[in-house]
Amino acid sequence: MLITFVLFLPEKQRGKYAALSIAAMVIVVGLPLWWKTTETYRASLPYSQISELDTLQLQLTMEVDVIFTKGTLTAEQQNKVPMSQTQENYYKMNDKTGLRYRYEMKYRTATVMEDSALRMESVQEADVSLSQLNESPSGSLVIYVIPETSGLLPDGINVYMGIYRTAILRTSLHKEAKMEELLSVIGPKILRIIQTVTFTNNDIKASMSDRVPTGKFTKESLADSMRAFKSSYEITFSLLNPDPKSHDLHWDIEEAVDKYIQPFLDKLSGVANFSVDSQILYYAILGVTPRYDKTISSYTLSAESLPHVINPVEARLGSNAASSNPVLNFLLYVPDYPHCPLYIKDQNGATVQSNAFHSPRWGGIMVYNVNEKYLDNNRFPVQVNIDTVRVMEVFLAQLRIIHIHHQYILLSTTGTAKVISEVHVRPNFGSGCLWLATTTLTSLAQLLDEIGNIVIYDKIASQVYNAVISVQAAIAELEAGNLGFAFQSSKEAILASEKAFFDPSLLHLLYFPDDQKFAIYIPLFLPMSVPILLSLLKIAKEFRERRNMAKKKD
């Protein structure tokens, strides 16, 4: 109808109405249709909740049971022992990050069974017995106060810290003093024990060094912030046979792993996931030529040459290229016939008893010499059955001490009980993961807010929501003192946030700048827009001229 109406108009008006009709069609239909068909799908994200996480104020609640044993208090003092006390300390890291320590002290007298355990011959036996009597929640601390006359601790040692977060404090308490005075005497000693089993402020500040500074998040800073927390690790056991013509090696690695390695990994299942595989590499030689030592009639590898051993061997492994997860390599090297036996020497020139060495975050290498009776055999290749018990003892010891993450995570579930100056410190996983999770979420929110052409699918939004919920749950568990649940929630938070941050659907559009958009759309819209704009300008000019003429006539 509109086209028919335009055709019956005079020629001058026909061009005018045609330009207006085309412009109306472009504005009313064309532009909305183009905008709708080219818009980027962006699911809603909890920006307000993420911005609140940018200011992270954590509270770490720790339960401390102070137990007075027989002979430390008089009957009158025992009746005045307070039920509980609370002490708080605050550490400010920066304007937006702080940590409040809340120590909930609970006082009581020892039971008959606890007093009996403290009368054992050695403090190590008492430590084990006391751990069986008390089932304290994760992260709590139990301190037993024993009289100065007790012979449980060696002379000169007044504080003992066991491996089950149980401390023994030997102190002298005045029998006629009031209970408030006694608590003021042992208070600083208890606080020192607490500080021993927790992170210092410097440790916390160091763990915060990976937190991305708040401010404008640019594409250039994206690469610097990609420090993902890995919860999955791969362990590879490799048997290196450089001389297959001389040695026919056999090892029952599957049974050895099930018997020695897997029970240890099961204890770490709450921290990370582990997968184990094995391989045999033939003609794999070391990158260093061993030197013959006449004094021991054997070939040796000096401590200075050990760093040069890893690189050539690592090129043959192939495990790092096949997986995106961190890999721990444990290599069993059987020397070739001409360089057998082969021993490793330490920096002092002494032979290493285990004949092995390890590299932090990489793994370990053990040299396995063939039994001498095989060397006199003229029939080659010699059948060699690897003693997996001896090998796994070394690899398991190396696995316990290798760092798998730079934020104080050690592969160690047991330790040696020591005096307070050398106490074994157990890391607090929860707060470190929370910092990393909140950093990733805030960085992701800034990235998505500044780059509008990134597609945000529903799965990304779901991961972000799950991460925020997990962070909030972890903060609540920390405040309640449930460190085990706090770590699990913070672990879920960092996994969800990192999974969303590194999703391929986000990264593949980061390098599509605006100048490329103009290069695509200008050739399409400019030829069509110029005639329409010129016609509209001409119509507007004629309209103003007619209006001015009408005013002059009036």
Side-chain angles (χ1 to χ4, degrees), residues 25-210:
M25 291 291 292
V26 170
I27 296 174
V28 177
V29 179
L31 288 178
L33 182 62
W34 168 78
W35 184 267
K36 186 64 178 177
T37 55
T38 58
E39 70 175 349
T40 301
Y41 180 77
R42 297 172 64 87
S44 61
L45 295 178
Y47 288 104
S48 59
Q49 299 180 42
I50 294 176
S51 62
E52 294 176 358
L53 297 178
D54 187 33
T55 303
L56 189 60
Q57 302 294 330
L58 297 179
Q59 175 176 304
L60 177 60
T61 302
M62 182 178 182
E63 295 184 5
V64 182
D65 293 337
V66 181
I67 303 175
F68 296 95
T69 61
K70 186 177 181 180
T72 56
L73 301 176
T74 63
E76 183 179 356
Q77 291 172 339
Q78 292 180 13
N79 294 330
K80 296 183 179 180
V81 173
M83 294 294 295
S84 62
Q85 287 183 345
T86 302
Q87 183 176 352
E88 292 187 357
N89 293 326
Y90 181 76
Y91 174 58
K92 181 179 179 180
M93 285 167 254
N94 51 48
D95 294 336
K96 294 187 176 183
T97 308
L99 181 61
R100 184 179 302 278
Y101 300 94
R102 179 182 175 88
Y103 305 122
E104 296 181 353
M105 312 284 190
K106 297 180 180 179
Y107 301 94
R108 67 176 177 87
T109 57
T111 64
V112 177
M113 298 182 65
E114 289 173 332
D115 282 327
S116 178
L118 291 170
R119 290 195 297 268
M120 291 186 173
E121 296 182 359
S122 66
V123 66
Q124 291 83 2
E125 294 177 351
D127 183 28
V128 174
S129 180
L130 291 173
S131 66
Q132 297 173 351
L133 296 176
N134 290 305
E135 295 184 358
S136 302
S138 176
S140 63
L141 178 65
V142 180
I143 301 176
Y144 289 92
V145 182
I146 61 176
E148 188 178 17
T149 57
S150 174
L152 183 63
L153 299 181
D155 295 338
I157 297 178
N158 294 324
V159 178
Y160 178 90
M161 193 67 215
I163 62 175
Y164 302 101
R165 296 182 70 87
T166 300
I168 299 177
L169 171 62
R170 181 168 58 185
T171 186
S172 176
L173 299 178
H174 199 278
K175 299 297 182 180
E176 297 179 359
K178 296 182 179 180
M179 197 62 205
E180 292 79 5
E181 298 176 354
L182 297 181
L183 294 180
S184 64
V185 172
I186 66 173
K189 300 178 181 180
I190 293 176
L191 183 60
R192 186 186 175 193
I193 296 175
I194 294 174
Q195 293 173 346
T196 303
V197 299
T198 57
F199 277 144
T200 64
N201 292 337
N202 291 333
D203 293 333
I204 296 175
K205 187 175 181 179
S207 68
M208 281 287 294
S209 61
D210 286 342

Side-chain angles (χ1 to χ4, degrees), residues 343-357:
Y343 296 101
I344 299 175
K345 288 189 175 182
D346 58 17
Q347 295 179 349
N348 298 324
T351 302
V352 178
Q353 184 177 2
S354 62
N355 210 23
F357 70 97

Side-chain angles (χ1 to χ4, degrees), residues 127-367:
D127 183 28
V128 174
S129 180
L130 291 173
S131 66
Q132 297 173 351
L133 296 176
N134 290 305
E135 295 184 358
S136 302
S138 176
S140 63
L141 178 65
V142 180
I143 301 176
Y144 289 92
V145 182
I146 61 176
E148 188 178 17
T149 57
S150 174
L152 183 63
L153 299 181
D155 295 338
I157 297 178
N158 294 324
V159 178
Y160 178 90
M161 193 67 215
I163 62 175
Y164 302 101
R165 296 182 70 87
T166 300
I168 299 177
L169 171 62
R170 181 168 58 185
T171 186
S172 176
L173 299 178
H174 199 278
K175 299 297 182 180
E176 297 179 359
K178 296 182 179 180
M179 197 62 205
E180 292 79 5
E181 298 176 354
L182 297 181
L183 294 180
S184 64
V185 172
I186 66 173
K189 300 178 181 180
I190 293 176
L191 183 60
R192 186 186 175 193
I193 296 175
I194 294 174
Q195 293 173 346
T196 303
V197 299
T198 57
F199 277 144
T200 64
N201 292 337
N202 291 333
D203 293 333
I204 296 175
K205 187 175 181 179
S207 68
M208 281 287 294
S209 61
D210 286 342
R211 185 173 170 92
V212 179
T214 56
K216 297 208 75 175
F217 190 82
T218 62
K219 292 180 288 186
E220 289 75 13
S221 63
L222 176 61
D224 296 333
S225 66
M226 290 184 177
R227 301 186 180 98
F229 172 82
K230 296 294 184 180
S231 64
S232 298
Y233 299 86
E234 295 187 6
I235 300 177
T236 301
F237 294 96
S238 302
L239 176 60
L240 276 57
N241 187 0
D243 192 6
K245 296 181 180 179
S246 301
H247 300 146
D248 185 11
L249 306 179
H250 298 273
W251 66 339
D252 193 352
I253 186 63
E254 183 176 357
E255 181 182 357
V257 169
D258 292 339
K259 187 175 182 180
Y260 298 100
I261 303 298
Q262 195 59 49
F264 174 71
L265 298 181
D266 291 340
K267 296 179 181 180
L268 301 174
S269 59
V271 178
N273 300 320
F274 298 90
S275 61
V276 182
D277 57 16
S278 63
Q279 61 182 345
I280 300 178
L281 300 178
Y282 296 98
Y283 301 102
I285 61 176
L286 300 178
V288 178
T289 302
R291 294 184 178 181
Y292 186 75
D293 190 344
K294 296 181 179 179
T295 59
I296 59 176
S297 300
S298 302
Y299 289 89
T300 61
L301 291 174
S302 62
E304 293 76 12
S305 64
L306 296 181
H308 305 286
V309 173
I310 295 178
N311 289 341
V313 176
E314 188 176 21
R316 291 286 310 274
L317 298 178
S319 56
N320 293 336
S323 174
S324 59
N325 296 323
V327 180
L328 296 178
N329 296 286
F330 293 93
L331 279 57
L332 182 64
Y333 179 77
V334 180
D336 55 343
Y337 181 77
H339 297 100
C340 191
L342 176 63
Y343 296 101
I344 299 175
K345 288 189 175 182
D346 58 17
Q347 295 179 349
N348 298 324
T351 302
V352 178
Q353 184 177 2
S354 62
N355 210 23
F357 70 97
H358 76 277
S359 176
R361 302 187 189 179
W362 185 86
I365 298 178
M366 177 182 179
V367 177

Side-chain angles (χ1 to χ4, degrees), residues 38 53 81 120 152-153 228 314 349 358 374 392 395 414-415 429 434 454 465 476 497 504 550:
T38 58
L53 297 178
V81 173
M120 291 186 173
L152 183 63
L153 299 181
E314 188 176 21
H358 76 277
Y374 292 138
M392 288 300 159
F395 285 160
T414 61
F429 301 101
L434 276 180
I454 293 184
Y465 274 101
S497 61

